[in-house]
Amino acid sequence: MSLYDLVTASADSLHHHTVTLADVPDPKGGEKPPFADKFLTILKWAAWTVSGACVAGVLGVAGKMALSHRNGEGGEHAKGLAMVMGACVLAGTASGIVGALI
């Protein structure tokens, strides 16, 4: 699999990933405050923004890699790609991590 295929597959999966908060942990019988629906809307906006930032990060690293390759430089951008992919994993599993800790 080429780097282009990897970036395209990552961008497609983030693009088609539906941001839902159905997995938000239940506070074990606590009563929902009156502003909970608005707060969930803000969380959904944040999740959408982070997903977009992840796609932009992958595209940014890919652009740097393409320019470096054109200039004959090596692949120093693997660390940047690893950081962006780590951010993607954290963003995708955020509610699961919180659910495991509560």
Side-chain angles (χ1 to χ4, degrees):
M1 176 179 264
S2 70
L3 180 61
Y4 175 77
D5 293 335
L6 179 65
V7 170
T8 303
S10 297
D12 285 344
S13 69
L14 279 175
H15 176 71
H16 296 295
H17 177 70
T18 309
V19 179
T20 62
L21 294 174
D23 297 331
V24 173
D26 182 14
K28 309 298 183 244
E31 186 175 329
K32 185 167 77 167
F35 58 86
D37 292 332
K38 292 179 182 179
F39 182 68
L40 287 177
T41 299
I42 292 171
L43 285 179
K44 288 179 183 181
W45 288 353
W48 184 87
T49 303
V50 169
S51 295
C54 287
V55 171
V58 171
L59 292 175
V61 170
K64 288 180 184 179
M65 291 174 78
L67 291 174
S68 294
H69 179 69
R70 182 177 180 187
N71 296 332
E73 298 172 4
E76 298 96 20
H77 302 291
K79 183 178 177 182
L81 184 61
M83 292 292 285
V84 171
M85 291 299 181
C88 292
V89 168
L90 282 175
T93 60
S95 64
I97 291 171
V98 172
L101 294 175
I102 291 182

